[in-house]
Amino acid sequence: MSMATRATRALDAAQVAYRLHPYDYEADAAIGKGLQAATALGLSPERVLKTLMAWVDARPVCVVIPSDRQLQPKALAAACAGKAARMMEVAEAERRSGYKVGGVSPFGQQRPVPVWFEQDALEQARVWINAGQRGLLLEIDPADAVRVLQAQAANISR
C-alpha cells in the first residue's frame, strides 16, 4: 500500500504535521466504515472521524463527523443557511472527491467544496481522518485540519 495520497500531499504542501495509520479495511463490515477503522486501530469512535459528501440545496459540501454519530440533515442545512440537506449518491461523491467511498478524505479533493466539521470533534486533542485510500487514516490536530480545510464548525450530528 502506497502511503502517499492527494490528501497527504495537500497536508505536506501546507506543512501540517500528521501521522499515518494503516489498518485492515473490510469492505463488507457489518458496522460502518469509520467504526470498523476505530475498532481495527483500538481507538474510541468519537476520535475517528468519517467524511461524508452531501448536498445543501443544490450546493455540494463535505462533512466531517465522529464515526459513532449520524449526520443531522436539518442541522447541516441550517448551518449552511440552506433549506434542505441530503447525502450525495456514491457515484457523485466519488466523482466530486476523486476518492472511492471508504477512502474519502476531506483533504486533497479533486473538486474542493466547503467543509463542515462537527463542533464536538474540535474538543479532541487528536483525531483520525481518512488519508485518501481505504485502510489508511491520518492522525492530526483537529485545529490544524480545520485551518487547512478552511472549514466551518457546527453541531451537525448526534
Side-chain angles (χ1 to χ4, degrees), residues 22-66:
Y23 67 96
D24 290 330
Y25 175 82
E26 294 178 32
D28 56 354
I31 58 176
K33 307 239 184 309
L35 289 174
Q36 189 259 324
T39 300
L41 291 171
L43 299 167
S44 57
E46 66 272 7
R47 297 178 74 191
V48 176
L49 307 182
K50 58 186 173 183
T51 305
L52 307 171
M53 299 299 290
W55 294 103
V56 173
D57 301 330
R59 297 173 308 207
V61 296
C62 178
V63 180
V64 182
I65 63 174

Side-chain angles (χ1 to χ4, degrees), residues 113-157:
V113 297
V115 178
W116 286 86
F117 251 72
E118 170 55 48
Q119 181 72 44
D120 293 347
L122 301 180
E123 296 173 10
Q124 301 293 331
R126 306 289 288 173
V127 293
W128 283 252
I129 302 173
N130 199 289
Q133 70 184 36
R134 295 170 176 166
L136 186 62
L137 296 184
L138 59 86
E139 176 187 351
I140 190 169
D141 180 320
D144 286 340
V146 167
R147 181 179 48 77
V148 168
L149 294 165
Q150 298 179 347
Q152 300 292 318
N155 292 312
I156 53 176
S157 69

Side-chain angles (χ1 to χ4, degrees), residues 82-93:
K83 293 181 182 178
R86 66 186 183 352
M87 294 298 298
M88 201 175 277
E89 300 219 0
V90 170
E92 182 68 15

Side-chain angles (χ1 to χ4, degrees), residues 6 93-100 109-111:
R6 282 194 324 277
E94 290 181 343
R95 197 169 25 257
R96 285 189 169 273
S97 70
Y99 296 117
K100 293 287 185 194
Q109 289 199 359
Q110 191 165 285
R111 295 166 66 184

